[in-house]
């Protein structure tokens, strides 16, 4: 790996054959050709960060961001994931691979990686050098603005147009990362506030609304959540969307993305400024989160699917995933949606820099597991963190009627009357 990183760092790049816009258009729907976006992941999603006339990605293109090849990401585990993803994306020997982007060095970085891994038919296409690229059809995720890049957040904070909050488990005295470096102006939120111990199941509506006012959030606000552990930010974002806050977003890639962009962080503690009233006595978006009875209704509805976002070992009952949760197994009738290797990870849904994996791959993964994106999907996990992140991604992709069974396996398994299944599925 060190040899690979050394070569990339010195930019000893072997640039491939440039192709024209007419060649792109000619082969866009040819299954023997694959188009790969090498830009920042946020640009693929829909953000226009390069002052182009079109935003989003070439219709049908997959992604391989040049940033994934930075040394900070390429540990042995991530390199294995990356190689697996290259194959899953269809970037394989025998295909004509077109790498496109806005920077020759960035494109070349990805090209070098692919060639060193055995691919030879690699072409390049530079959007800024081909002014007629506007003839090519582009597409974005319908909800791409929910997942924001660091540059957007920085600009909005400078204009005081959003409020930003850091989310993590534990009180301030436990939040060493937050105290050492947080986004300027961001108060810390302890996730225990929305799911109190010892059960860590979702708080009451009344307490959630009271908490929102205590930390200065009203239903009319625009808020952005981030975290060192990005999963916590999606958990909080889903709660505040449920309460009905007008504009709820998440920083794609979390604190690491902010720091990688070169933006400053502050030390110490920012205290939230309470407000008198959230603006509603009850949650406005009640359908976003369901309780146990709601989960059972999903199981009885052929147009809905209860999707299990847990590790395989949790699914088959080999482990509960939590030291304080002793009952093991799965909810009968639910469908496994994958997650990651353990209860604290979600690598099946993320890129190696903890940004959202592209929607084509998520849907392909679902379809392979028997999950149809045409149905209304209700996600659950152990206690709501992983499932909340996947729910948020589904909304980024434009799905409208999905929901979260927030208490998940923790709530279901707490009732000895609820049926469970254990073992391999047939």
């Amino acid at each position: 790996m060190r040899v690979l990183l050394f070569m990339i760092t010195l930019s000893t790049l072997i640039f491939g054959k440039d192709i024209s816009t007419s060649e792109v258009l000619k082969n866009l729907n040819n299954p023997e050709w694959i188009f790969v976006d090498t830009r920042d992941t946020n640009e693929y999603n829909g953000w226009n960060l390069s002052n182009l006339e079109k935003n989003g990605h070439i219709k049908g293109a997959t992604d391989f961001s040049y940033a994934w090849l930075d040394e900070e990401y390429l540990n042995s585990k991530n390199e294995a994931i990356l190689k697996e993803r290259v194959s899953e994306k269809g970037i394989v020997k025998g295909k004509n691979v077109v790498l496109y982007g806005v920077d020759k060095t960035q494109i070349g970085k990805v090209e070098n990686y692919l060639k060193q891994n055995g691919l030879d038919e690699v072409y390049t296409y530079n959007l800024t050098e081909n002014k007629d690229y506007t003839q090519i059809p582009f597409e974005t995720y319908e909800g791409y603005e929910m997942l924001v890049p660091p540059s957007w957040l920085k600009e909005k904070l400078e204009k005081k147009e959003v409020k930003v909050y850091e989310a993590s488990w534990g009180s301030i005295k436990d939040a060493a990362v937050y105290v050492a470096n947080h986004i300027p102006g961001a108060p810390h939120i302890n996730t225990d506030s929305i799911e109190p111990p010892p059960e860590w199941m979702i708080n009451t509506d009344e307490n959630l609304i009271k908490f929102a006012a205590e930390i200065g959030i009203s239903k009319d606000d625009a808020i952005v959540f981030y975290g060192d552990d990005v999963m916590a930010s999606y958990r909080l974002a889903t709660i505040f969307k449920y309460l009905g806050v007008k504009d709820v977003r998440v920083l794609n890639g979390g604190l690491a993305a902010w720091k990688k962009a070169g933006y400053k962080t502050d030390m110490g503690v920012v205290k939230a400024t309470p407000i008198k009233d959230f603006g509603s006595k009850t949650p406005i978006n009640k359908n976003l989160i369901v309780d146990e009875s709601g989960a059972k209704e999903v199981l009885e509805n052929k147009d809905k699917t209860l999707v299990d976002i847990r590790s395989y070992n949790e699914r088959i009952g080999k482990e509960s995933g939590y030291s304080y949760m002793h009952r093991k197994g799965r909810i009968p009738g639910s469908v496994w949606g994958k997650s990651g290797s353990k209860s604290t990870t979600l690598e099946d849904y993320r890129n190696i820099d903890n940004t959202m994996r592209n929607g084509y791959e998520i849907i392909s993964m679902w379809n392979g597991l028997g999950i149809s994106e045409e149905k209304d999907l209700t996600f659950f996990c152990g206690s709501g963190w992983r499932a909340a992140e996947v729910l948020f991604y589904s909304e980024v992709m434009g799905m409208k009627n999905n929901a979260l069974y927030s208490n998940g396996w923790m709530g279901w398994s707490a009732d000895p009357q609820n049926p469970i299944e254990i073992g391999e599925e047939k």
Side-chain angles (χ1 to χ4, degrees):
M1 188 199 306
R2 289 189 177 275
V3 174
L4 169 62
L5 293 174
F6 178 76
M7 294 176 72
I8 290 175
T9 303
L10 290 183
S11 298
T12 56
L13 303 174
I14 308 166
F15 296 108
K17 298 165 278 189
D18 292 335
I19 64 171
S20 66
T21 300
S22 61
E23 290 173 296
V24 170
L25 290 168
K26 176 184 175 182
N27 293 295
L28 202 53
N29 297 311
N30 186 337
E32 299 304 314
W33 289 69
I34 184 163
F35 294 83
V36 184
D37 194 321
T38 65
R39 299 172 298 163
D40 181 288
T41 299
N42 293 294
E43 293 185 273
Y44 180 88
N45 292 352
W47 290 95
N48 191 346
L49 305 180
S50 301
N51 297 314
L52 298 175
E53 291 185 46
K54 287 190 170 186
N55 60 323
H57 54 268
I58 291 176
K59 190 172 183 179
T62 189
D63 60 339
F64 188 124
S65 174
Y66 73 94
W68 301 342
L69 295 172
D70 288 350
E71 185 172 1
E72 64 219 72
Y73 300 126
L74 283 183
N75 56 44
S76 57
K77 179 181 178 181
N78 282 347
E79 177 131 10
I81 291 173
L82 201 57
K83 286 184 177 181
E84 184 178 322
R85 293 283 166 83
V86 167
S87 177
E88 290 173 352
K89 291 172 186 291
I91 308 173
V92 295
K93 197 172 181 64
K95 288 285 184 76
N96 297 293
V97 179
V98 179
L99 304 177
Y100 76 88
V102 295
D103 183 279
K104 188 173 183 179
T105 301
Q106 293 173 1
I107 297 170
K109 193 174 179 179
V110 177
E111 182 180 0
N112 240 36
Y113 175 84
L114 296 180
K115 286 186 172 179
Q116 290 176 0
N117 281 277
L119 273 76
D120 43 23
E121 290 300 317
V122 179
Y123 302 84
T124 60
Y125 181 75
N126 194 311
L127 296 169
T128 57
E129 292 177 1
N130 291 274
K131 301 302 180 184
D132 56 350
Y133 77 88
T134 53
Q135 298 175 30
I136 301 170
F138 275 59
E139 61 185 354
T140 70
Y141 296 136
E142 184 177 337
Y144 77 88
E145 291 179 312
M146 294 170 57
L147 203 53
V148 305
S151 57
W152 180 92
L153 178 56
K154 182 174 182 291
E155 178 184 346
K156 292 297 181 180
L157 287 173
E158 289 171 348
K159 294 179 179 179
K160 302 186 185 305
E161 293 178 350
V162 297
K163 297 177 179 179
V164 63
Y165 292 85
E166 190 265 8
S168 66
W169 177 79
S171 64
I172 283 292
K173 65 182 178 65
D174 300 315
V177 172
Y178 169 79
V179 175
N181 52 186
H182 57 261
I183 293 177
H188 172 262
I189 295 179
N190 177 2
T191 56
D192 282 355
S193 301
I194 56 97
E195 46 181 24
E199 292 86 6
W200 284 286
M201 290 189 276
I202 191 171
N203 215 329
T204 65
D205 290 348
E206 180 182 4
N207 284 340
L208 290 174
I209 287 173
K210 180 182 176 184
F211 173 65
E214 289 173 350
I215 59 171
I217 296 177
S218 81
K219 69 178 182 62
D220 298 317
D221 277 331
I223 55 177
V224 178
F225 292 103
Y226 79 93
D228 181 50
D229 174 358
V230 300
M231 201 183 293
S233 55
Y234 292 101
R235 177 61 162 151
L236 265 294
T238 300
I239 294 295
F240 281 89
K241 283 174 65 66
Y242 166 73
L243 294 182
V245 175
K246 179 179 67 175
D247 188 351
V248 181
R249 310 189 193 207
V250 170
L251 175 61
N252 198 15
L255 179 63
W258 178 269
K259 293 166 70 175
K260 186 172 176 58
Y263 300 145
K264 66 167 286 193
T265 58
D266 284 349
M267 298 179 66
V269 176
V270 177
K271 291 187 176 181
T273 303
I275 57 176
K276 185 176 181 180
D277 186 28
F278 171 71
S280 175
K281 300 298 182 186
T282 59
I284 297 168
N285 194 11
K286 286 282 285 185
N287 292 332
L288 190 63
I289 294 179
V290 305
D291 57 13
E292 185 180 307
S293 63
K296 290 177 178 177
E297 289 176 10
V298 171
L299 291 169
E300 294 171 359
N301 190 327
K302 63 180 177 60
D303 296 320
K304 297 184 178 184
T305 305
L306 188 63
V307 183
D308 186 347
I309 306 297
R310 296 183 300 157
S311 69
Y312 185 68
N313 283 342
E314 290 172 273
R315 175 75 179 168
I316 65 173
K318 188 174 182 179
E319 60 186 45
S320 73
Y322 303 82
S323 61
Y324 50 87
M325 195 187 306
H326 303 297
R327 204 171 179 206
K328 303 172 186 178
R330 60 182 174 270
I331 299 174
S334 65
V335 180
W336 188 45
K338 291 192 175 182
S339 62
S341 56
K342 51 187 179 180
S343 63
T344 56
T345 64
L346 199 65
E347 57 263 39
D348 290 326
Y349 286 87
R350 297 183 194 156
N351 300 314
I352 61 172
D353 59 354
N354 285 325
T355 56
M356 173 187 163
R357 193 174 178 186
N358 89 51
Y360 292 125
E361 293 171 20
I362 292 174
I363 289 174
S364 176
M365 178 173 66
W366 284 348
N367 292 168
L369 295 165
I371 300 166
S372 171
E373 72 278 14
E374 300 299 322
K375 292 187 176 184
D376 294 343
L377 307 177
T378 296
F379 304 100
F380 78 93
C381 57
S383 64
W385 285 45
R386 289 169 287 179
E389 185 169 338
V390 175
L391 171 62
F392 198 93
Y393 291 160
S394 76
E395 293 175 323
V396 169
M397 291 187 283
M399 300 176 195
K400 303 294 185 186
N401 300 311
N402 293 347
L404 174 70
Y405 173 29
S406 185
N407 290 338
W409 181 249
M410 191 173 298
W412 185 275
S413 64
D415 184 350
Q417 300 302 313
N418 283 334
I420 64 170
E421 290 178 344
I422 294 177
E424 301 281 347
E425 296 180 83
K426 297 179 180 178

